[in-house]
């Protein structure tokens, strides 16, 4: 959902007020479907991808939906001369904007329960597999389910991993069920929550410096460097226009090889889900070699999921 924030109730007729962020042209169908269910909606337009004519068409469509009263706030910041982060911003100001744009310090907590579907290459996939479609349900720390469908040099792969409080299992059509460790579910939130985690930077302002300004994908950005005894040395690349994290680089342990390497990420195509900024496409390299490439097709955060979603396969 493109819902950013529920901001209260209209005192005249108790209609609910919501803020919706139009993050990109791909976001518009969700906006129309969501806004059509409510009487009053505030639209926040903050994307250079959407023209004024497109916004105008959206407004007319919503007004014509029948019984929809519409408040439209076009907070356009579409030009390079009006960035979210000022050229003269201090480290502290950059960090505060970064955390706010990503949904606040508690944004990663929404990754504790939900469903997700994405395509991926490399990373979690064994050799010989091209692109895989992965569907997951998760309710950490006790429940996790992952289904992988992919083509490989040995034919089609169809695997399902299920973890609940009693154990873990892997199953595939026509093959016996195997037990697996349940360690993957012993976490507080999905691993994707860490891809663009930034809240910890607030506690390390004194260890952050501005390295340089640069262009990333032809957009102005700034490079911050964190140097800490506890967290090590790492670089954070922040888009000045959107105020969002677009890349990181850090020497750390490669989760695949188990050796020290420079792990770099690139993040993009952000959308908001319940106020949390999520990069719908991201990639990672290890010493320049592709380690992970993910495109998220669908994501829903949940407050809970039924235990029956994670039943041991028979």
């Amino acid at each position: 959902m493109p819902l950013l924030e529920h901001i209260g109730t209209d005192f005249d007729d108790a209609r609910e007020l919501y803020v919706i962020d139009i993050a990109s042209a791909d976001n518009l169908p969700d906006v129309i479907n969501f806004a059509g269910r409510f009487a009053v909606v505030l639209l926040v337009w903050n994307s250079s991808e959407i023209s004024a004519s497109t916004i105008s068409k959206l407004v007319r469509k919503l007004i014509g939906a029948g019984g929809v009263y519409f408040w439209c706030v076009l907070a356009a910041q579409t030009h390079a001369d009006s960035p979210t982060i000022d050229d003269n911003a201090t480290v502290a100001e950059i960090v505060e904007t970064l955390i706010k744009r990503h949904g606040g310090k508690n944004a990663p907590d929404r990754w504790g329960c939900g469903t997700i579907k994405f395509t991926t290459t490399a990373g979690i996939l064994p050799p010989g597999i091209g692109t895989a479609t992965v569907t997951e349900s998760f309710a950490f720390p006790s429940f996790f389910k992952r289904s992988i469908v992919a083509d490989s040099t040995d034919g089609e792969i169809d695997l399902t991993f299920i973890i609940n409080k009693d154990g873990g299992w892997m199953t595939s059509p026509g093959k016996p069920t195997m037990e697996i460790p349940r360690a993957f579910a012993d976490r507080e939130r999905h691993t994707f929550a860490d891809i663009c985690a930034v809240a910890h930077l607030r506690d390390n302002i004194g260890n952050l410096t501005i390295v340089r300004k640069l262009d990333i994908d032809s957009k102005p950005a700034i490079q911050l460097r964190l140097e800490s005894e506890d967290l090590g040395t790492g670089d954070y690349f922040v888009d000045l226009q959107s105020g969002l994290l677009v890349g990181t680089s850090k020497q750390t342990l490669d989760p695949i090889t188990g050796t020290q390497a420079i792990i770099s990420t690139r993040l993009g195509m952000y959308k908001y889900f319940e106020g949390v900024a999520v990069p719908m496409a991201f990639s990672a390299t290890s010493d320049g070699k592709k380690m992970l490439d993910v495109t998220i097709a669908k994501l829903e955060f949940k407050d809970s999921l039924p235990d029956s979603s994670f039943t041991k396969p028979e």
Side-chain angles (χ1 to χ4, degrees):
M1 278 297 175
L3 175 62
L4 272 184
E5 184 180 4
H6 176 236
I7 60 171
T9 303
D10 188 319
F11 62 88
D12 288 331
D13 53 10
R15 293 176 299 183
E16 297 301 302
L17 305 183
Y18 286 82
V19 175
I20 292 181
D21 180 35
I22 306 179
S24 71
D26 292 338
N27 191 219
L28 290 178
D30 283 343
V31 171
I32 292 171
N33 292 336
F34 183 81
R37 303 206 309 267
F38 297 94
V40 179
V41 175
L42 299 178
L43 275 184
V44 177
W45 173 30
N46 190 28
S47 173
S48 58
E49 298 180 27
I50 305 176
S51 66
S53 62
T54 301
I55 294 295
S56 178
K57 291 177 183 177
L58 171 62
V59 171
R60 289 198 299 271
K61 185 164 185 175
L62 287 170
I63 291 176
V68 176
Y69 296 86
F70 201 80
W71 292 6
C72 186
V73 177
L74 301 184
Q77 293 182 345
T78 62
H79 303 291
D81 58 355
S82 58
T84 298
I85 297 176
D86 187 85
D87 281 344
N88 299 316
T90 64
V91 169
E93 290 170 336
I94 294 170
V95 168
E96 287 306 310
T97 298
L98 185 61
I99 293 173
K100 181 178 180 180
R101 291 293 292 144
H102 277 268
K105 66 178 182 178
N106 296 322
D109 295 343
R110 284 309 281 130
W111 284 93
C113 183
T115 60
I116 187 171
K117 181 178 182 179
F118 59 93
T119 56
T120 182
T121 58
I124 64 173
L125 303 178
I129 299 179
T131 300
T133 298
V134 182
T135 305
E136 296 177 344
S137 301
F138 52 96
F140 297 118
S142 300
F143 301 98
F144 179 73
K145 180 178 181 179
R146 170 185 287 166
S147 297
I148 301 176
V149 177
D151 290 324
S152 75
T153 53
D154 298 323
E156 185 179 79
I157 292 177
D158 187 348
L159 297 173
T160 299
F161 303 84
I162 299 175
I163 297 174
N164 61 29
K165 295 178 180 179
D166 298 321
W169 304 270
M170 180 181 73
T171 182
S172 183
K175 297 181 180 180
T177 298
M178 298 175 55
E179 289 194 10
I180 60 173
R182 65 172 315 282
F184 191 88
D186 290 334
R187 62 184 71 235
E188 294 301 318
R189 57 200 186 206
H190 197 283
T191 53
F192 285 1
D194 299 327
I195 294 294
C196 55
V198 294
H200 65 286
L201 298 179
R202 179 181 284 161
D203 298 325
N204 288 275
I205 296 295
N207 298 320
L208 282 166
T209 56
I210 296 174
V211 177
R212 59 173 175 153
K213 295 176 183 176
L214 69 162
D215 283 348
I216 296 179
D217 295 333
S218 301
K219 296 180 181 179
I222 197 164
Q223 178 182 356
L224 299 179
R225 176 160 295 164
L226 173 66
E227 296 177 288
S228 164
E229 284 189 18
D230 296 331
L231 301 176
T233 299
D235 291 336
Y236 298 80
F237 300 89
V238 183
D239 186 297
L240 293 177
Q241 188 68 35
S242 66
L244 294 167
L245 189 69
V246 291
T248 62
S249 183
K250 182 179 181 180
Q251 180 163 340
T252 186
L253 197 67
D254 185 317
I256 298 174
T257 65
T259 60
Q260 287 289 319
I262 300 296
I263 306 297
S264 300
T265 66
R266 291 292 298 273
L267 318 170
M269 295 177 62
Y270 275 92
K271 288 187 178 181
Y272 282 89
F273 295 83
E274 299 187 16
V276 177
V278 176
M280 302 300 284
F282 57 88
S283 60
T285 60
S286 175
D287 284 340
K289 183 179 179 181
K290 185 166 76 170
M291 184 176 71
L292 184 68
D293 197 346
V294 169
T295 301
I296 298 175
K298 185 177 181 180
L299 171 65
E300 288 187 66
F301 294 133
K302 304 281 190 178
D303 292 326
S304 63
L305 286 171
D307 292 1
S308 57
S309 299
F310 309 92
T311 302
K312 177 183 176 180
E314 297 186 6

